[in-house]
Amino acid sequence: MRRVAIIGAGQTPYGDFPGLGVKELFAMAFKEMLESVDKGIDPREIQQAYIGSLSAGSGFQLGQLAPLLMGHVGLPNVPAVRVENACASGGFALYNAINAVASGQCDIALAAGVEKMRDVSSTKAKYWLGISGDTEFERLAGLTFAGIYAIIARRYMEEYGLTREQLAKVAVKNHYHGKMNPKAQFRQEITVETVLKGAPVADPFTVWDCSPTSDGAAVVLLCSEDRVKEFTDHPVFIIGYGIGSDYLALQDRDSITSFKATRQASARAYRMAGITPKEIDFAEVHDCFTIAEILAYGDLGFGEKGEVIRLLEEGETYLGGRLPVNVSGGLKSKGHPIGATGCGQAYEVFNQLRGRAKNPERQIKNAEVGLSHNVGGSGGTAAVFIYRREG
């Protein structure tokens, strides 16, 4: 297996863009990706493409979305595949593109994600999100994803003593970071009191505990090690990666206060990279709900379950802390266009490791190793990637 590096990446702002469809969003991210390649690249060098999308919202293009989008940017003959794994669609697109290059199938591959979610009612959006759980035993029984994660949160609070105020601090931190990100959907700071007094969604959550629905796209360009120098002197290598899966329905799992899929994926990624969690300088984790970030701390090995809340309490996961988490604002503040999220995380890590964060105020200093963590649904799937800058 060959070593694989990211040589370029692009991302749209996340938010509500009624005048833009999936084609336009993808083209925006694709254009930035091309411009980010230091020595330039002919788009015709791209040999394969993997594009993540749930086709949420209006379900604009349920079939053959990937060739549609590649044709829109002038590359109709690049073999292109749509990847769907709920909220982890982008991460699994990245996983497939890495393997295509690492295995020698191609030298240059594109991984991307796109979603158009803001053009339908909230009722229909709930339907689209709900079909990524166990439809028979969860959605048809009346559970929404907020409801599923609320059950997880309540159980975690019962088992480990997590308080409602501590849970709210995840949202406070990520909004603090998101305020500095020009591409974030919500760029305002909030307080614990703001979270607690927000409109109720599913106990214990208010609206401030939940990531938004978003329009957006992200594109990552991957290259084999032997060709990297043609395009950049500052590549970011993906030194470890792993994926995992588990039962979709909560009632089938041994525990709902930990995601086995994340534990599997991270163990494989750490083993491949030859490092431990203590060597990670920063992370972008899947905080679709505030409890999801707390679960990620434990499942990724940043601390023991029940004790990881001290990372927040002591400011260690803030920008400038020992282990900054979600300096982009995370899904909670930056936004969550489902198919784009995994590749958007890779975009953030790529720019941070190269010292090129959008808005220098939020640049992580002296970072060498980053991690991204993308979860599908309520933990049915997960993908974890470890990155290192070289040059």
Side-chain angles (χ1 to χ4, degrees):
M1 299 288 279
R2 302 186 296 180
R3 291 214 307 158
V4 180
I6 301 176
I7 58 172
Q11 182 203 291
T12 67
Y14 290 173
D16 186 359
F17 305 109
L20 300 175
V22 289
K23 293 179 182 178
E24 291 79 14
L25 290 166
F26 178 78
M28 287 171 62
F30 185 85
K31 180 175 183 290
E32 184 185 356
M33 177 275 293
L34 291 179
E35 292 171 348
S36 73
V37 180
D38 295 329
K39 298 180 183 180
I41 188 170
D42 185 335
R44 292 173 294 182
E45 293 273 9
I46 299 170
Q47 296 163 300
Q48 292 186 23
Y50 298 85
I51 302 176
S53 181
L54 180 64
S55 288
S58 61
F60 168 74
Q61 186 74 33
L62 291 176
Q64 304 211 81
L65 176 67
L68 174 80
L69 297 177
M70 293 303 288
H72 184 67
V73 295
L75 299 171
N77 302 122
V78 173
V81 178
R82 173 189 165 211
V83 178
E84 188 283 307
N85 229 349
C87 310
S89 297
F92 277 77
L94 180 58
Y95 176 81
N96 279 283
I98 293 169
N99 279 327
V101 176
S103 66
Q105 292 181 35
C106 63
D107 292 335
I108 299 173
L110 179 144
V114 64
E115 214 72 69
K116 180 71 179 171
M117 304 178 69
R118 298 290 299 169
D119 56 349
V120 296
S121 68
S122 59
T123 300
K124 189 171 183 180
K126 289 178 185 177
Y127 168 80
W128 276 105
L129 296 172
I131 58 175
S132 296
D134 188 317
T135 297
E136 183 179 7
F137 288 102
E138 293 181 333
R139 185 176 67 80
L140 294 181
L143 268 178
T144 63
F145 263 125
I148 291 171
Y149 272 94
I151 291 171
I152 293 170
R154 274 296 174 200
R155 186 64 190 174
Y156 196 99
M157 295 166 86
E158 176 68 22
E159 289 188 14
Y160 300 107
L162 175 71
T163 68
R164 184 64 187 90
E165 289 75 18
Q166 289 171 330
L167 189 62
K169 289 181 180 181
V170 175
V172 173
K173 172 184 67 71
N174 291 345
H175 274 264
Y176 170 79
H177 290 152
K179 181 181 179 181
M180 296 180 278
N181 185 353
K183 294 197 174 187
Q185 185 167 352
F186 295 127
R187 299 187 61 197
Q188 77 271 32
E189 289 190 59
I190 59 175
T191 65
V192 169
E193 184 179 16
T194 303
V195 178
L196 298 182
K197 291 185 175 180
V201 175
D203 186 70
F205 296 151
T206 71
V207 67
W208 295 105
D209 290 283
C210 312
S211 62
T213 55
S214 315
D215 300 337
V219 177
V220 178
L221 192 63
L222 303 169
C223 180
S224 59
E225 181 179 21
D226 59 305
R227 295 196 60 189
V228 161
K229 291 297 183 182
E230 296 177 38
F231 307 109
T232 181
D233 294 323
H234 306 285
V236 171
F237 279 88
I238 299 172
I239 61 173
Y241 55 97
I243 56 174
S245 293
D246 197 6
Y247 291 108
L248 258 64
L250 295 188
Q251 78 266 12
D252 292 326
R253 300 182 194 174
D254 295 333
S255 170
I256 64 170
T257 57
S258 174
F259 287 165
K260 183 178 289 187
T262 294
R263 299 200 311 273
Q264 290 175 341
S266 61
R268 291 164 180 159
Y270 288 131
R271 184 166 58 248
M272 181 184 288
I275 67 172
T276 69
K278 292 182 179 179
E279 295 172 79
I280 300 297
D281 294 320
F282 70 100
E284 287 288 310
V285 309
H286 198 94
D287 62 319
C288 50
F289 298 90
T290 46
I291 189 60
E293 182 165 320
I294 300 296
L295 295 181
Y297 292 170
D299 292 338
L300 294 169
F302 299 155
E304 294 296 325
K305 282 197 301 183
E307 298 176 4
V308 293
I309 191 59
R310 69 169 182 79
L311 296 173
L312 265 175
E313 295 277 22
E314 297 174 10
E316 294 189 23
T317 54
Y318 271 82
L319 182 65
R322 180 181 63 83
L323 178 64
V325 174
N326 285 338
V327 293
S328 68
L331 285 61
K332 178 65 202 68
S333 177
K334 183 176 73 169
H336 184 26
I338 291 175
T341 289
C343 289
Q345 292 174 325
Y347 167 86
E348 175 69 18
V349 175
F350 175 70
N351 282 305
Q352 286 285 355
L353 288 176
R354 288 174 20 124
R356 303 179 188 180
K358 304 304 177 185
N359 182 3
E361 183 182 4
R362 64 185 197 86
Q363 176 66 52
I364 299 170
K365 296 179 180 178
N366 304 315
E368 295 185 1
V369 179
L371 177 148
S372 68
H373 159 247
N374 191 198
V375 172
S378 55
T381 55
V384 173
F385 305 90
I386 300 173
Y387 313 73
R388 176 181 286 143
R389 64 177 172 89
E390 297 187 16

